[in-house]
Amino acid sequence: MAVRADARRQPPLRRVPARRGGGWLARDHRRYALLFLLPALAVLIGVIGVPLLDVLWLSLHDGRGVETGEFVGFEHYTELVTDAQYLASLLRTIVWVAGTVALSMVLALAVALLLNRLPRWAGLLGIVVLLPWAMPRVASGIIWKWMFNDQYGVVNWLLTSLGFERFDGFSWFAQGETAFVAIGTASVWQRVPFLAIALYGALSTVDRAVLEAARVDGAGSLRILLRITLPMIMPVLLILIVLSSISSFNSFDYVFVMTTPAGGPNHETELVSILTWVTGFGLLEQGRAAAIAVTSLLVLSALTAVYYRLSREERT
Amino acid sequence: MVLAAFGSSGDGGTAGGTESGTLEIWLSDWGPEYEPYWAQIADEFSTDGVEVELRFVGGNDAHQQYVTAISSQTAPCIGLVGNTWVPEFASLGALRPTGQSPDDVKEQYVSAAADSVTYEDEVYGYPWNAAVRALVYRADLFEQAGLEPPATWDDVVDVGLAFQDAYPDMYGFGVAGGGQWYYLPNVWAWGGEIATQDDGTWASRMNEPEAVDAYSFYAGLLTEHGLSPEGAMNWNGGDLVNAFSQNEIGMFVAGNWDLKSLLLQNPEMESKVATAPMPSGPAGNNATFLGGSDFVIFEGCELPEKSEEIIDYILDPERLVEITSQLGFMPAKLDALELESTTGSYSSELWNVFPAQLETARFVPTTPAWGGVEATGELVNALHAIIGGSAPRDVMDDLAQTMDDTLGDG
């Protein structure tokens, strides 16, 4: 009865003619909706639910290789809290996410503003800009690795030609910091296109009349950008930041392809994703690897919750 | 395999001719140049109700494919597998013992290759291809500068520096900091051991002084002596071949396959290169790793005798040398190796160093967990840490600790 009382208080979204004792469809439509949803639901449970539970289960065991191993409870998790290697990789990943997301958002915004200024060229430029995004990351990773090669790489050649002599034969992958510069460049190059196109879409929804009005009132370009354009696209901007943080946290391919051994030199580019891989497929410690994966899942779930919230606010 | 089950005439048959069904051979060494050879073998043995099927199982996931096949009991009859996988597969109970004694095998094959098929005093395979490293240098430039190839690792430093004095645009020695195979054997040359088994338990010995010194010395080639560009800390075999062919380095440690690909890509180099044995370490030996591949017969094979027949046929010395000479690799079987190095493609002065080097070649520790040790990347990370300036002792203590964790899983 309570439900009915509620329903009466709120105006219905759409007026559905109430037919007392109406057709089977109206009476059972909830049940049928469920029936029609079942196939999709089964697939989702199969491809997401089951593996997820499997990883959780595995993380509570001392699995080696293909064996599930003995049940050890939360031992892997309590170990992780004090594990220097894990904590270092987590910190590294956070810095990596912050750095690459900030840089790619700024660049993407610049590209989007440019596209917005050149509406006639936007179509063509859009295609050109999308190319890096469409390229397989392993392939582009190998190309970037070559471009940053100490002896034959075009990056060192370019920097040396510009007068930076110290880059003659400079080894980018000899230290973690410079290796991250190389990997980060590749990663930012890859993700800017998608962000730029999305931001361009958002920019085109900004009412030109508002911008005109501001200009008439004497506002400069920078002021218009900071006070009008950015606030108006803020919801989209925030959603993109969250989405791109999620994908940045999961970065694996560029580090894997560009460093020797993966995460090297000497663990200095070891992100959590790489550590998970090394633990699971190098050391074959499946249980511990599963535990690391679950901790990553928690971080990503938190980010996803933020995303969900933001996108709901965006719709209303 | 289903077909084989129906076609098989009981428990493996009494004579080779009574077995029938499908006989699968999985090969990891492949390429257009191998195709006619294997096609001919398949034809030869596809008779009397037996059909030989060939499958290429190569690339980075070859190991994974075998492990999956073993756990789902769909492994082939014959596999030509990387020799470091044999102890692992044997420990899983996946391989059929050949019935030979380890001593017999030692007499027939290159010693380290015999080790590769021996697991816990039982023999599980037939070594096919033996691969080994030696020193390759620029004979033309060495001669002009009046230099001799180094005989010891200390000489590598002296000769390398003298080479750099004579050719200021080049580096003296190609360091391969990204490829553990290029410096891990130095632990033996320094008188140490990588890992040894005691009372059935494997333990790392990489934190003993010999191993620490061997690693420090190799790091020093780069940091102290500058015998390679800084980026060489990530170099691997392919990078060495590149650098050498680009006139960037004067000498490097090269596998016989490295030299082969160098000359295939740069035929003009043939008149400029020469080879010398691996430099010796302070312990007086120049031990190096044995690479290569072994034939194994899997436990579930329905046609074991036919499989043995095929392998015997392939390993017949004259027939074997025909293919090794044509394709330019070394047979692991001693009678064939003898032929290969006296009359085959390894008989020339340039190539003769490799068969000789096989005598001092050693096999990786024969623990099933060795693959895991390699896969962690820690053997490379340790060198990188020393190059990066960390205290060698601490680095090697950490390495030994990680290795022990992994070896304990075996």
Side-chain angles (χ1 to χ4, degrees), chain B residues 245-263:
Chain B
S245 65
Q246 301 285 326
N247 298 321
E248 205 185 327
I249 53 176
M251 59 178 161
F252 72 118
V253 167
N256 53 325
W257 63 96
D258 286 331
L259 181 58
K260 198 182 152 211
S261 76
L262 173 80
L263 296 178

Side-chain angles (χ1 to χ4, degrees), chain A residues 3-15:
Chain A
V3 175
R4 278 200 183 173
D6 273 352
R8 226 174 297 157
R9 212 173 299 139
Q10 284 177 340
L13 288 172
R14 237 180 304 146
R15 194 167 289 277

